[in-house]
Amino acid sequence: MKKLLAFICLCIQIVPIMGQSVLRTPHGVKVETKAACVELECFSSSIIRVKKYPLGQAPEKQSLSVTMQPKKVKYKIQEANNQVILTTSELTVLLDIIQNQVRFATKDGKELLAEKPSSTGFTSFNDAGNSTYRIRQTFLLDSDEAIYGLGQHQQGKMNQRNQTLFLQQANTEICIPLVHSIKGYALFWDNYSPTTFTDNAQGMTFDSEVGDLCDYYFVYGGGADKVVAGLRELTGQAPMFPLWTFGFWQSRERYVSQDELVGVVAKYRDLKVPLDGIIQDWRYWGEDHKDWNAVEFRNPKFPDPKKMMEEVHHLNAHAIISVWPSFGPATGIYADLKALNKLMIHETFPQDNGVKVYDTYDPIARDIYWKYMNKNMFSIGMDGWWLDATEPEHSPAKEGDLEFQTYLGSFRKVRNAFPLVSVGGVYDHQRQETSDKRVFILTRSAFAGQQRYAAQAWSGDVVSDWDVLRNQIPAALNVSLTGIPYWNSDIGGFFSGRKFPEGVKDPAFHELYVRWMQFAAFTGMMRSHGTNTPREIFMFGERGYWAFDAQEKMINLRYRLLPYIYSTSWEVTSNGGSLMRALFSDFPEDKKVTDIGDEYMFGKSILVVPVISEVKRRSLYLPEGTQWIDFWTGEKQKGGQEIIREAPIDIIPLYVKAGSIIPAGPSVQFATEKSWDDLQVRIYPGADGEFTLYEDEDDNYNYEKGKYTTVRMTWSDKDRQLTIHPRQGSYDGMLQNRNFRIVVVDNLKGLGLDNESYTVNVEYKGKKLNIKLP
């Protein structure tokens, strides 16, 4: 490290010497070494693109993930002793011409990441008649450096060191060649072909099957939040979801008729159990696989889908529908795509029925896809999209499948970007159709940048099993650390029949399901779904039975927390924030949290510790640097210690960070049933804190035009004073006056959100208020 710092100081004094091998470019420098041509390009002072390619070639590439254009950045380029140094206000990048090595350091010389010398590999490869390369690059990490990301994988690892992963999209596996380091940087390997990631004693390597160049982005932030914000700046911001999407969702594989689907919603209303969404899974198009995914209602048990949607909406609920990227040969969309040669060749589920995947990389194919969705679904009031199997499902793979020439080249070349492009096509088309309804997409696969398309990934067809439940937590956190903020899983696991053949009749399944639901209440989407057995709450018995009551308790808690969740989603949209947060994001100085993958922060205030076994207690760690208040009891605990928390079946351990301000909404049956004119504001003392309450029109894009309000609240712990600052912004129909019920959580018993002891009521009219509390 001292050697690197001394070298930087020496070079700063050297007058740049630009020879034939070192050329300035509009945003950086281009250097020809004996091995390759290397370009360093400043996208910002903290984001650097590195391109390497064989001499004499200058491949043009339009990134599918990166939307950012290079900014005008002040930088210096200097050359000495076969070294080229590029410096910005945030970073120093050193290129050793002899060793063909790029190194990254902070502006004060602290080394962040280095390529392994002479480890760039270009192996000639014939990709379906196109002369190109297999490409490879190795990087050197610190021996104790934790890295995260790479997408969603089911092996239960939080820290992604010391393993080999084959990155190719598949059901339950989301593959994103991006690592996020605990040292405060991310590296995005911008390649869409199947890629082998390896980390061992020789280094960390990305080895991609095909590519015209080695192309990666180094994003520096100094901390997890700024790294994620940098990734969003690079690949696109996450738009707001409608408020109703954060309510409770019910689904099943599958509802067999429109009467059954509407009946489920009506049953929830009769029971007065909150619900906002219902999902129609496959075969609404009919039972014959040759009619597969017709993107229209052909099944006679769905005779009037427009009426179905009207009835769902009359019940103050919303519906989304399963649409696949593959089509049976008896469908109209298949015929339209085939006539224009827009179908791919590989077999997909269901096999041996002639079902084909569309060439999503072709804009004309995406137009046809949306034409059917718009005509047969969106026009009748469908509220959103469940884009299933966006890997796309590809089995059994056959020789020649990867050689198929898509609109953007061989399928091998663009394989892993299929979900990004397919989901993006739906988002773009709906935005062109209207700005009065926000896009909402649930999808089974993802790639870097997919957050910009209002897409929420889920973990695929996982098995109902305690170990699988445990593995969902680090899977979700690693997705979040790639810049994709919203994730969820099938409550109870998709395949229940393997471990619980009696399904909902088995009390053991009830226990797993309840614990999974408790976890789901603190994810991007609280959604019940699965096969083998129904999952509706009324299938578990009646009120008074523990499994019913525990579910209802968590559903109601989710709705009470909607002001907190929706305001946090604004932080995601406006500041590149995260909803599910790895502990090191908020406690970077606490080395004990580095590899904790079974607890996390939900927003910046709530520590969530899911119960992941039949044992009704949890060993958990409270991060140091703050006090923690038990959400359920109000008991205070100091940070930096491991404790045992009893967890009866209706309790998930939750702890609130001292200094938190949490708004709680009214009890409702659906998200927009009641306005937020009488909110509880819960203060958890022990430190200063702040929170910004966000509100808008719920389900349009007027917020992009500035039509929203924020109310900032700050807490002075020393003065025990809450300051509610002047309201900022406005929108049609906004609340002019409201009541805040302020509760200070000070070792009160039996809290949750129901105990309002020591409440102070204040009327707020948008002007500043200072409230002194006892």
Side-chain angles (χ1 to χ4, degrees), residues 39-279:
E39 294 187 38
L40 306 178
E41 188 173 17
C42 297
F43 271 56
S44 73
S45 60
S46 59
I47 301 176
I48 307 295
R49 182 186 187 186
V50 178
K51 297 191 293 183
K52 296 185 178 184
Y53 46 88
L55 294 173
Q57 301 180 26
E60 292 292 328
K61 176 184 174 183
Q62 179 64 49
S63 177
L64 298 177
S65 291
V66 174
T67 57
M68 183 182 185
Q69 296 298 315
K71 296 180 178 179
K72 290 184 178 180
V73 179
K74 290 184 178 180
Y75 63 89
K76 294 181 180 179
I77 297 172
Q78 295 159 319
E79 180 185 3
N81 302 324
N82 292 308
Q83 304 262 5
V84 175
I85 307 97
L86 183 152
T87 57
T88 73
S89 60
E90 298 289 330
L91 290 171
T92 299
V93 187
L94 299 95
L95 169 60
D96 187 313
I97 297 175
I98 300 301
Q99 298 195 76
N100 189 28
Q101 180 195 33
V102 178
R103 300 161 72 186
F104 300 90
T106 62
K107 60 183 178 182
D108 57 1
K110 180 182 178 181
E111 186 162 300
L112 296 167
L113 178 68
E115 295 178 351
K116 188 175 183 178
S118 303
S119 63
T120 309
F122 297 101
T123 303
S124 295
F125 179 69
N126 186 316
D127 181 31
N130 179 46
S131 180
T132 183
Y133 303 95
R134 183 179 185 121
I135 59 173
R136 174 187 178 94
Q137 180 66 63
T138 300
F139 301 87
L140 300 175
L141 305 179
D142 294 347
S143 60
D144 61 347
E145 181 178 352
I147 59 170
Y148 311 94
L150 296 175
Q152 166 198 282
H153 304 285
Q154 299 289 338
Q155 82 281 48
K157 289 175 67 71
M158 185 63 199
N159 183 357
Q160 300 296 313
R161 294 297 302 272
N162 303 312
Q163 64 173 326
T164 296
L165 287 172
F166 180 59
L167 302 180
Q168 178 172 284
Q169 309 287 18
N171 188 351
T172 76
E173 296 286 314
I174 293 175
C175 297
I176 303 174
L178 186 156
V179 294
H180 183 142
S181 171
I182 201 164
K183 292 173 67 175
Y185 70 82
L187 186 148
F188 171 44
W189 179 256
D190 193 14
N191 184 282
Y192 323 118
S193 71
T195 297
T196 300
F197 168 86
T198 305
D199 179 61
N200 54 30
Q202 285 70 52
M204 178 186 75
T205 302
F206 289 96
D207 186 346
S208 294
E209 291 188 0
V210 61
D212 296 327
L213 73 164
C214 167
D215 187 6
Y216 68 87
Y217 295 80
F218 182 88
V219 179
Y220 178 66
D225 280 351
K226 288 187 177 180
V227 170
V228 169
L231 290 171
R232 301 266 179 79
E233 184 181 19
L234 182 68
T235 65
Q237 301 297 335
M240 291 290 290
F241 286 139
L243 176 61
W244 52 266
T245 66
F246 293 105
F248 178 65
W249 288 77
Q250 185 61 60
S251 182
R252 184 198 297 183
E253 193 279 298
R254 59 189 166 92
Y255 297 119
V256 300
S257 69
Q258 69 182 63
D259 288 343
E260 184 177 47
L261 181 142
V262 174
V264 167
V265 179
K267 182 70 171 179
Y268 270 86
R269 294 288 179 254
D270 290 343
L271 288 169
K272 298 191 182 305
V273 175
L275 178 77
D276 262 277
I278 189 86
I279 306 177

Side-chain angles (χ1 to χ4, degrees), residues 235-396:
T235 65
Q237 301 297 335
M240 291 290 290
F241 286 139
L243 176 61
W244 52 266
T245 66
F246 293 105
F248 178 65
W249 288 77
Q250 185 61 60
S251 182
R252 184 198 297 183
E253 193 279 298
R254 59 189 166 92
Y255 297 119
V256 300
S257 69
Q258 69 182 63
D259 288 343
E260 184 177 47
L261 181 142
V262 174
V264 167
V265 179
K267 182 70 171 179
Y268 270 86
R269 294 288 179 254
D270 290 343
L271 288 169
K272 298 191 182 305
V273 175
L275 178 77
D276 262 277
I278 189 86
I279 306 177
Q280 178 58 47
D281 204 346
W282 61 0
R283 294 191 180 179
Y284 57 85
W285 52 74
E287 302 296 332
D288 191 333
H289 284 332
K290 295 190 182 303
D291 289 325
W292 179 264
N293 192 40
V295 200
E296 59 181 302
F297 290 89
R298 293 183 171 185
N299 190 324
K301 293 182 179 179
F302 293 84
D304 193 344
K306 188 174 188 297
K307 180 183 177 183
M308 177 183 74
M309 291 305 304
E310 290 171 349
E311 291 175 337
V312 168
H313 291 158
H314 181 72
L315 290 165
N316 296 298
H318 297 80
I320 68 174
I321 193 162
S322 172
V323 183
W324 294 53
S326 53
F327 315 97
T331 64
I333 189 170
Y334 180 103
D336 286 358
L337 289 164
K338 184 179 180 181
L340 296 174
N341 197 29
K342 306 300 181 184
L343 291 169
M344 296 171 64
I345 64 170
H346 74 257
E347 291 187 10
T348 187
F349 179 84
Q351 282 82 29
D352 303 321
N353 287 278
V355 178
K356 300 292 185 184
V357 174
Y358 83 122
D359 182 1
T360 191
Y361 310 100
D362 191 316
I364 295 176
R366 296 195 297 270
D367 289 345
I368 295 170
Y369 193 34
W370 173 252
K371 180 183 75 172
Y372 278 80
M373 294 173 72
N374 187 29
K375 175 184 176 183
N376 299 321
M377 306 296 174
F378 196 59
S379 66
I380 66 170
M382 194 62 65
D383 297 298
W385 313 105
W386 182 11
L387 301 184
D388 207 342
T390 47
E391 301 85 30
E393 201 156 63
H394 185 190
S395 61

